[in-house]
Structure formats: structure tokens, C-alpha cells
Amino acid sequence: EVQQNIDMESYRIQETSRGRIALERKVGLLDPIGTKARHGTAPEELEPLSRIIAELNERFGLNLGPEHRVTLGQMMEKLDADAALDASARANTRENVRLTFDTKVEHVIQEIVEKNFDLYKRITDDRAFGEAIKNFLFDQYLRAHRQAEELIKRGESKTLEFKATLRWNLREDRRDDTVITHAVLRTIAAFLNTEGGDLLIGVADDGAIVGIEADRLESDDQFMRHLAQVARNGLGDRASTCIDPKTQIVQGKTVCVVSCQRSPEPVLLKWKGMEVDAGGDFFIRSGPGTVRLPPESASHYIRTRFPAASTSPPVPYA
């Protein structure tokens, strides 16, 4: 009888706190029960959702909280469970996957209207915010559904490139942290400044599997730390948060898939004196290649691609 007087559809789960709970009658602490995340991942692996919330708050001057993170998690679960979208992600180019994703995510957005009307209204009323949410969700989705072996079969494109190594010159059989690493960072910068993309390290231009073992670092973990460090040094701390590397085994060798999301601000590359302009070089993707834009062209591109940054573009394009 009570249930008949309550609109149960208007209720939703809302995260209000997290942590350890003190027991009332016994000495000790009760740890939170682990919840099963999508694909069975541990809760700490959902940290990217918290990062998305933090970036949205900073970019749009908002105060989105845990309840919005919960809603984003529910949206991701819906997208993750979509078999047709998963098939598209594994078999198509990034551009074609995005077309399918945009259709699917619109349905998912409509489903949150009762659970989180505030977020729904902001997504639908504020075009820039809505696009930012969709971009974040798309990049997060691809990270979980893109397999290196399938990507290699497609060959290089505007949003996919292969690099044999991060720092080792295979032709001369020596370490080259300058030219070889610059080529990797240049590709990452171009992806960030254009539409995002996937960089596969450990794969030759012709698709042959080289493996990151060729970089002669002691372990995969050391390779990942080295990649993170050079990204911060060459592209800056903020830009480095837009890349998400992970390793996969292909034909018995380790390949690093670097997923690069579209950056919300211009990214310049400065690396060991390789830059043409003192303030850093600006790269974009053009077809299956990376090109450096001269200052005048870069300024025009920045005004179009990054309108929020056009009032104070980075040196040397002021």
C-alpha cells in the first residue's frame, strides 16, 4: 500500500560517501564491499570517470559531484553492453565507429532524464558541454574495445599510426631518444590537435610486429613510465592527461596501444631542440600523415578548432 503512494521510478541510486565504516559493537573497521565494474574491472580502474568529472568542472566552471560520476558510469555500462557498437569498434575505422557511437549515445542520454535531470538538461542545453561529454565517453569506450590485432589489419589512417619503437633506432641498432622519440611525440601531438587517434608502438609501418621489447627497457612497466615521462616533458602535463597507453600481446610480442583523445586546448611540442619554432611546434593529422603547421596557418587553425583558446593562443602563435 505504501508503494502505491510512492513514485519508485523517480528514485535513483546516488553516491553520498565512500570509505571505511567503524563497527559499533566490536573493535575494528569494515572495508567497503568491492563492486563489480564493467568487464569485471576493479573499482579503482574507473578512475578515468573521476578524471572526466574533474576536467569538466575545470573547463566549464561547474561543481559536478559523485552523483554525476555514478550517472556517467551507468551510461558507460549501457554503451559497453551494446553488442552492435562493440562489433563496430572492432571492425571499423575510428571515424566510422564515431558515427555509430553518436547514434547510440543519444539514446543513452535520453535514458538518464529520470535519474539525473540536471546532467541531462546540461548536456542537451549546452552544446559545448554536451559535445565534451560525448567526446570523453567515446574516447573512454574505445580504450576498452579496441584490440591491437584488429587495428593492425586496417593499416594506417588519419586516426591510426604505427611506430616500431619509442627510443631505439633499429636501422643503426642504437638508442636514439632525440629523433625516434620525437617522431612518436609528433604523432601524439597531431592526434591531440585533430580528432584523436590510436598510436601503436611496437608495430612497423608495414604492420609487422616488432614489439616494445625492441626498445630494450627492463620491463613493460618501465616502458610505460618512460613513455609517460617523455610525454610530459615534450607535450606538457595537461596534454599528457589526454593519452592512455596500455599493452597488449600480439603474436607473442608486446604492443603498446596509445589512445589519444581530442585535446580541449592546443598542444605544442618541444623536444631536445628538434622544434623549428622556439615556443614549440604545432602538428595536426592530414590523411594518414602528420604535418607541422607554420605559425600563420597554426593561428588560423587554433582559432577554428580551439575557439576558447583563440583569445590567448600559445606562443609562438600569438
Side-chain angles (χ1 to χ4, degrees), residues 223-241:
F223 176 93
M224 299 294 268
R225 289 199 302 270
H226 183 70
L227 173 60
Q229 186 62 57
V230 298
R232 286 194 297 270
N233 291 348
L235 304 172
D237 290 338
R238 290 173 65 86
S240 66
T241 65

Side-chain angles (χ1 to χ4, degrees), residues 138-150:
F138 178 67
D139 289 318
Q140 190 62 29
Y141 181 85
L142 283 188
R143 289 169 187 153
H145 292 260
R146 302 282 266 183
Q147 297 299 315
E149 198 159 6
E150 297 298 324

Side-chain angles (χ1 to χ4, degrees), residues 250-307:
V250 181
Q251 298 178 14
K253 297 179 181 178
T254 306
V255 171
C256 181
V257 180
V258 186
S259 296
C260 306
Q261 71 180 53
R262 175 174 169 159
S263 173
E265 59 189 20
V267 175
L268 299 178
L269 171 60
K270 293 184 66 175
W271 185 253
K272 297 191 175 184
M274 293 288 290
E275 60 273 6
V276 176
D277 294 288
D281 292 333
F282 187 82
F283 293 94
I284 64 168
R285 294 291 286 180
S286 179
T290 293
V291 297
R292 171 190 165 273
L293 293 184
E296 184 176 348
S297 297
S299 292
H300 177 74
Y301 182 91
I302 289 171
R303 286 194 298 271
T304 303
R305 166 70 171 78
F306 306 97

Side-chain angles (χ1 to χ4, degrees), residues 29 93 104 110 143 160 212 237 253 283 309:
L29 293 171
T93 64
K104 299 289 186 179
Q110 293 301 317
R143 289 169 187 153
L160 177 62
I212 62 174
D237 290 338
K253 297 179 181 178
F283 293 94

